Amino acid sequence: MAETVLIVEDEQDVVDLLRYNLNRAGFSVSIAETGLKGLAKARAERPDVIVLDLMLPEMTGEKVCKALKEDSSTVAIPVIMLTAKDQPSDRITGFELGADDYVPKPFSPRELVLRVQALLRRLQTSQRAETIEVDSFVVDKGAFEIRLGGRRLDLTTTEFKLLTLLIERRGRTQTRETLLFDVWGYQNAIDTRTVDTHMRRLREKLGGHATRLETARGEGYRFSATTRP
Ligand code: CA
């Protein structure tokens, strides 16, 4: 069965271009021309990938993305943000909202198709991965959740990615730049305080287990390989 891409965009020429190229690459395509319709279609159709424009009538792409990532039925659907803006601040916003990739307009349709394919491959690889168990932590990548002592942690997409990566690389210090690159996908270290903010929230959510997240002063963070007595 063909994988489905939901395009949420109001500009007809962009929609036509995307539909043509995605169809040619073997994808089924579904279209929504406003933010609200996009959100409704995402929930009803559960597409494999969502291509989401930032500038939309009724509800902006940012708000749609945030709503998708807060809803457990749509959180796992990868989102590619499409936008005319290419300022670093917009890029940060896109990733902080949980967008999985970001394509500035004007874009080449061929590149966009390649990005869609790359996202799906990445997702399939991570879903194949077995669960990771470290002491009372259980990372279930397929279910997109981390359980601590049997209790499901209430994490945002970014927190999930961050904690998963730290657990996978436990015992090894990760610099803020590495985390920005691997978790947020930034090409350059834009603002490393973003990492600190997220680490603080993550610690709050880990409660008594927060000490597993160690700060290596002046270096970065690591998930300790062993439990301290
Ligand atoms: Ca638009």
Side-chain angles (χ1 to χ4, degrees):
M1 213 174 78
E3 284 159 314
T4 306
V5 180
L6 170 62
I7 301 170
V8 189
E9 165 68 289
D10 57 321
E11 285 161 72
Q12 196 56 48
D13 53 340
V14 177
V15 169
D16 291 343
L17 188 69
L18 281 174
R19 178 167 34 203
Y20 173 77
N21 283 279
L22 286 165
N23 279 338
R24 212 171 58 155
F27 291 99
S28 304
V29 171
S30 181
I31 315 281
E33 63 277 7
T34 74
L36 276 180
K37 285 181 187 162
L39 196 55
K41 275 205 164 180
R43 286 174 176 152
E45 299 174 2
R46 306 275 209 91
D48 296 287
V49 177
I50 298 171
V51 176
L52 177 63
D53 189 40
L54 199 56
M55 310 282 275
L56 291 167
E58 287 180 359
M59 188 178 187
T60 64
E62 281 118 321
K63 287 193 178 140
V64 174
C65 188
K66 196 160 176 287
L68 289 170
K69 296 302 179 182
E70 280 170 0
D71 182 338
S72 60
S73 70
T74 51
V75 63
I77 305 172
V79 174
I80 300 182
M81 278 264 211
L82 220 55
T83 172
K85 303 178 190 171
D86 191 23
Q87 300 304 311
S89 60
D90 292 311
R91 211 180 172 92
I92 292 173
T93 309
F95 280 111
E96 281 180 350
L97 292 171
D100 301 83
D101 202 355
Y102 175 99
V103 179
K105 286 178 181 174
F107 56 88
S108 101
R110 189 179 143 68
E111 191 198 340
L112 192 110
V113 169
L114 288 174
R115 299 258 199 137
V116 169
Q117 289 165 335
L119 259 187
L120 283 169
R121 260 200 315 275
R122 217 154 83 197
L123 192 74
Q124 280 151 5
T125 310
S126 70
Q127 280 176 344
R128 263 204 308 275
E130 75 288 19
T131 52
I132 307 161
E133 276 192 61
V134 181
D135 304 321
S136 42
F137 289 83
V138 178
V139 180
D140 187 338
K141 286 182 161 185
F144 235 85
E145 66 177 36
I146 299 178
R147 293 183 295 275
L148 177 54
R151 188 176 59 92
R152 182 184 186 278
L153 291 173
D154 182 22
L155 303 175
T156 64
T157 313
T158 302
E159 289 165 351
F160 171 82
K161 287 184 192 168
L162 183 59
L163 185 54
T164 299
L165 186 142
L166 287 165
I167 290 175
E168 282 174 335
R169 302 178 187 172
R170 58 194 173 278
R172 287 181 285 150
T173 301
Q174 306 298 312
T175 65
R176 289 173 178 79
E177 288 75 18
T178 300
L179 292 171
L180 272 178
F181 187 81
D182 290 349
V183 175
W184 282 264
Y186 294 162
Q187 301 296 320
N188 330 296
I190 296 166
D191 189 352
T192 53
R193 281 173 302 182
T194 303
V195 178
D196 300 328
T197 309
H198 281 81
M199 289 300 293
R200 198 163 54 237
R201 283 193 216 132
L202 205 46
R203 280 179 169 142
E204 281 165 13
K205 293 187 178 181
L206 295 190
H209 294 267
T211 48
R212 286 303 285 266
L213 295 176
E214 298 177 332
T215 306
R217 209 163 291 282
E219 292 178 65
Y221 295 98
R222 70 176 161 260
F223 187 91
S224 77
T226 52
T227 343
R228 291 270 165 80

